[in-house]
Amino acid sequence: MDSLIRRLQAFRLGENESSPEDSHKSERGKGITLAQKLISTGTLGAANRGRLLQALYDIGASSRADLARVTGVTRGTIGGIVQPLLDQGVLAEGEVIPPNETGGKPATKLWFSKDARPICAVLLLHDRVSACLVSLEGEVYAQNAVYFPKNVANAADAFRVISTCIEKAVAFGKPILGIGVAVAGMINTETGTIVTVGLAPFLDGFPLETELNRRFGVTVCVDQDTRALLVGDRWFGQGRGRRNFASVYIGETLGGALYLDGHLYRGPAGAGGEIGHTTVDIKGRMCQCGRRGCWETIASSKWLRTEAKVRRLPRPLSLDVSRLLTLADKDVPGARDLIRDYAFNIAVGLANLQQFMGKRDFRCALTASAPLKRHRTGFDIRLYQATVVLE
């Protein structure tokens, strides 16, 4: 399984089946760069095993015959892909399916083994780090979170906090399969290095993937938090079984990620897909990125609090969508207008994203930093109404 993980990390499962290095090499010295190359025999098996695991997440526990039908290959091919995963304890055989009226052998459903090594999932924000130990089925065994000290000023001190948090989360007992880190910032995905994290300059340029690999001795994958959110939606959420969709996160910042034609889009070295910094108002406010009128400037939690203060709503500095909807239910002056404007601002960016991805197949998973609880439906209706107006 370790070799599978290493190979999948090398070319990123479900994306271009060519390495970043290969895509920039010229053919035969003629200066020709191929968009895609053939999959080598060394990575073909890992690619097929990864896609079979994704198929199980998409359709649930399945027999070899079912997997053969879904993936379009023979049962013999499925058997060759499945057996190493059984031997390594990643998959296990479970429920026996009796033969149908026409006869034949009984089939056995395959699913993730309860004894498989878990994965450590980490979320790194500018002020805190959270880690949890999770099974291949998505069950959380243990979790831990800690804030950075107020006086932290260098990457070495921050890394001690990060590694200690991980150590406490993985102290559950089972050896881990690997570590996945979602960082709220820009990441060089080819090297696993943090480019920058807003409000946490002490992390800028830190080779997190290398240091975690050295510290824990397992495979490590570091990526942007919104792309990690999209992968979670693809494997477990609204994106399951889809070839095209987007995930948008709205909090102190606004970020998004794209899944296009069956591939997670990262751009060169992870620099692509900055949806929050698409321009929606050329005469708008200055953004922290240095440009004017970015979507983030009118649709983040920061904008919401600023507007709440201007409109004299109560306790504006602690306002989130959930409390704003509560104020609207109580007919607090200005609350309903602010909800309408905020939903419209979010919808402006979603409408652009819809045009980019195509109306017919457009699906978007929207996640807010503050839980909407019982108000979620009401906000969804306002957001839908705003989007319809824009269309």
Side-chain angles (χ1 to χ4, degrees):
M1 187 62 185
D2 291 329
S3 61
L4 167 63
I5 293 292
R6 284 193 296 271
R7 288 172 181 172
L8 292 180
Q9 187 184 30
F11 68 93
R12 305 293 184 184
L13 171 63
E15 303 162 38
N16 259 350
E17 287 81 2
S18 57
S19 69
E21 292 81 7
D22 287 344
S23 65
H24 296 290
K25 291 179 181 177
S26 60
E27 291 295 306
R28 300 176 180 268
K30 296 180 179 179
I32 300 173
T33 302
L34 299 181
Q36 285 189 330
K37 290 193 176 183
L38 299 179
I39 303 175
S40 70
T41 54
T43 57
L44 181 60
N48 280 334
R49 288 193 289 273
R51 290 174 181 181
L52 183 135
L53 295 179
Q54 179 66 73
L56 282 173
Y57 278 119
D58 286 345
I59 65 176
S62 306
S63 68
R64 291 169 177 81
D66 290 335
L67 289 169
R69 282 192 292 271
V70 169
T71 58
V73 298
T74 65
R75 288 188 61 175
T77 300
I78 290 294
I81 297 171
V82 164
Q83 194 58 50
L85 297 173
L86 290 170
D87 295 340
Q88 295 160 8
V90 176
L91 298 181
E93 295 183 316
E95 178 188 352
V96 176
I97 307 171
N100 56 30
E101 296 81 1
T102 60
K105 296 181 179 179
T108 304
K109 286 189 175 182
L110 299 168
W111 189 238
F112 296 95
S113 172
K114 297 288 186 182
D115 298 323
R117 287 184 291 168
I119 295 170
C120 182
V122 181
L123 175 62
L124 178 59
L125 304 177
H126 72 278
D127 60 346
R128 64 189 183 274
V129 57
S130 305
C132 68
L133 194 63
V134 60
S135 74
L136 298 185
E137 295 179 281
E139 179 184 356
V140 177
Y141 295 137
Q143 51 191 326
N144 185 45
V146 62
Y147 280 83
F148 289 121
K150 295 293 185 183
N151 60 350
V152 65
N154 59 70
D157 290 342
F159 183 71
R160 277 192 287 271
V161 175
I162 295 168
S163 57
T164 300
C165 181
I166 294 173
E167 286 171 357
K168 291 181 178 180
V170 303
F172 180 77
K174 284 185 179 181
I176 59 174
L177 187 62
I179 300 173
V181 187
V183 181
M186 292 184 64
I187 304 298
N188 183 326
T189 53
E190 293 180 5
T191 63
T193 299
I194 297 174
V195 177
T196 183
V197 173
L199 304 179
F202 52 85
L203 290 171
D204 293 358
F206 185 67
L208 184 59
E209 184 173 308
T210 299
E211 293 302 319
L212 285 176
N213 176 267
R214 182 181 294 122
R215 172 67 184 81
F216 292 95
V218 296
T219 299
V220 179
C221 181
V222 179
D223 210 334
Q224 193 179 49
D225 58 340
T226 50
R227 286 196 285 260
L229 174 65
L230 181 138
V231 172
D233 284 330
R234 172 65 185 93
W235 286 64
F236 300 106
Q238 297 180 53
R240 181 178 288 183
R242 298 190 180 280
R243 291 187 61 82
N244 296 280
F245 74 99
S247 286
V248 175
Y249 172 83
I250 299 174
E252 289 304 301
T253 60
L254 190 153
L258 306 174
Y259 196 73
L260 305 175
D261 197 24
H263 306 298
L264 169 60
Y265 178 73
R266 284 189 174 90
E274 289 288 342
I275 299 171
H277 296 288
T278 53
T279 302
V280 295
D281 183 358
I282 59 174
K283 296 182 180 180
R285 301 174 182 178
M286 288 298 299
C287 180
Q288 61 180 353
C289 72
R291 299 175 61 182
R292 186 178 292 278
C294 293
W295 187 20
E296 181 178 299
T297 64
I298 64 169
S300 65
S301 299
K302 182 179 179 181
W303 179 90
L304 190 65
R305 292 194 301 270
T306 301
E307 285 296 310
K309 184 177 180 180
V310 171
R311 302 181 192 204
R312 301 180 182 277
L313 268 66
R315 293 189 292 137
L317 299 182
S318 61
L319 188 73
D320 58 29
V321 176
S322 183
R323 195 165 74 81
L324 178 59
L325 287 163
T326 299
L327 295 177
D329 288 344
K330 296 179 178 179
D331 292 325
V332 173
R336 292 183 184 276
D337 289 342
L338 184 53
I339 291 172
R340 181 199 61 214
D341 294 344
Y342 189 49
F344 186 87
N345 289 351
I346 294 172
V348 167
L350 293 180
N352 287 337
L353 186 57
Q354 183 186 49
Q355 293 297 326
F356 173 75
M357 298 190 69
K359 286 187 178 183
R360 185 174 64 87
D361 295 326
F362 179 70
R363 295 291 185 278
C364 180
L366 183 64
T367 303
S369 60
L372 299 181
K373 300 177 183 176
R374 66 185 179 87
H375 297 298
R376 178 63 192 259
T377 302
F379 185 68
D380 284 346
I381 291 172
R382 290 174 174 87
L383 187 58
Y384 173 74
Q385 291 171 335
T387 307
V388 170
V389 170
L390 285 167
E391 289 181 355

